[in-house]
């Protein structure tokens, strides 16, 4: 019976550079950031949300571009396991996109975030308790460290915002990475500057961020960026959204 990553030592996971260790480390940071968002208000909450996005979306991109293809090649039930996670990622992207369009001080914003937090925690548990322990049984520590190096390289050069129309699989997500990463990270800096700048400068930062958001929206709707996606990735996301918010 595979053991959950949560109860294993770093050595058991393959060392500090193993993709399993890196995944668990991000999941720990995720828990801390979710608590920060839930327990702060105003600009502090917005800063925590930005930090959360800069963790969640690069992490998911590296999984979808490196780790889940490896799982599909390695495990007999890999396609089914990764499809379930990709469907969770799709719903999280859709909810975060809705969150961006919602007044940060509204009750709806809080309800959306509570649903997002629930999904993110479930996603982490699914990975640590089921999917990744199976991969651990199939690969030796050296292979896990190789995967960790590639995962890390992509994680630090990945988009930091939700892009629900982009494929959750290569080649679409890989093609999206270069343009969307630059746009997302520029918007992160502008939005953070707007919360700290004098009113005369803050308006300019926000306007520029909105322009970049429009550009990103146009880019992510390019047909090439949907290539490779499984036909059922988006199936039922609207229904799951309604159930989660009810």
């Amino acid at each position: 019976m595979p053991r959950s990553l949560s109860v294993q030592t770093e050595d058991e996971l393959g060392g500090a550079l193993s993709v399993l260790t890196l995944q668990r480390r991000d999941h720990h940071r995720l828990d801390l950031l979710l608590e920060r968002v839930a327990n702060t208000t105003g600009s502090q909450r917005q800063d925590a949300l930005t930090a959360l996005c800069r963790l969640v979306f690069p992490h998911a991109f590296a999984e979808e571009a490196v780790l889940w293809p490896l799982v599909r090649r390695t495990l007999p039930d890999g396609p089914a396991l990764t499809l379930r996670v990709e469907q969770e990622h799709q719903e999280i992207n859709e909810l975060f996109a809705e969150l961006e369009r919602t007044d940060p001080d509204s009750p709806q914003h809080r309800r959306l975030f509570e649903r997002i937090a629930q999904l993110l925690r479930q996603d982490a548990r699914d990975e640590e308790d089921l999917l990744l322990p199976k991969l651990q049984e199939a690969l030796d520590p050296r292979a896990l460290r190789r995967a960790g190096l590639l995962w890390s390289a992509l994680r630090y050069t990945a988009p930091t915002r939700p892009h629900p129309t982009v494929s959750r699989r290569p080649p679409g997500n890989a093609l999206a990475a270069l343009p969307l990463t630059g746009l997302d990270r520029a918007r992160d800096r502008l939005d953070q500057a707007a919360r700290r700048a004098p009113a005369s400068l803050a308006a300019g930062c926000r306007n520029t961020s909105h322009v970049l958001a429009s550009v990103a929206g146009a880019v992510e709707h390019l047909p090439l960026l949907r290539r490779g996606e499984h036909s059922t990735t988006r199936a039922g996301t609207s229904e799951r959204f309604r159930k989660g918010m009810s």
Side-chain angles (χ1 to χ4, degrees), residues 159-178:
T160 60
R161 300 264 178 157
H163 296 290
T165 65
V166 171
S167 173
R168 306 266 71 86
R169 293 188 179 186
N173 59 358
L175 293 169
L178 183 59

Side-chain angles (χ1 to χ4, degrees), residues 26-40 45 47-56 113 117 120-121 155:
D26 266 10
H27 291 163
H28 177 67
R29 290 185 59 215
L30 172 69
D31 284 336
L32 296 177
L33 284 170
L34 289 173
E35 289 298 318
R36 277 180 55 193
V37 176
N39 295 317
T40 53
R45 185 170 186 266
D47 286 345
L49 273 170
T50 297
L52 179 66
C53 289
R54 291 184 70 112
L55 172 70
V56 166
F113 176 74
L120 288 171
R121 290 189 171 108
R155 184 195 178 290

Side-chain angles (χ1 to χ4, degrees), residues 127-174:
E127 292 172 9
E128 289 195 14
D129 297 344
L130 177 64
L131 195 157
L132 294 175
K134 287 191 172 186
L135 184 66
Q136 181 184 27
E137 290 189 330
L139 298 178
D140 61 32
R142 183 176 296 180
L144 293 171
R145 289 191 289 272
R146 284 198 301 269
L149 290 172
L150 185 54
W151 181 91
S152 294
L154 288 181
R155 184 195 178 290
Y156 288 106
T157 56
T160 60
R161 300 264 178 157
H163 296 290
T165 65
V166 171
S167 173
R168 306 266 71 86
R169 293 188 179 186
N173 59 358

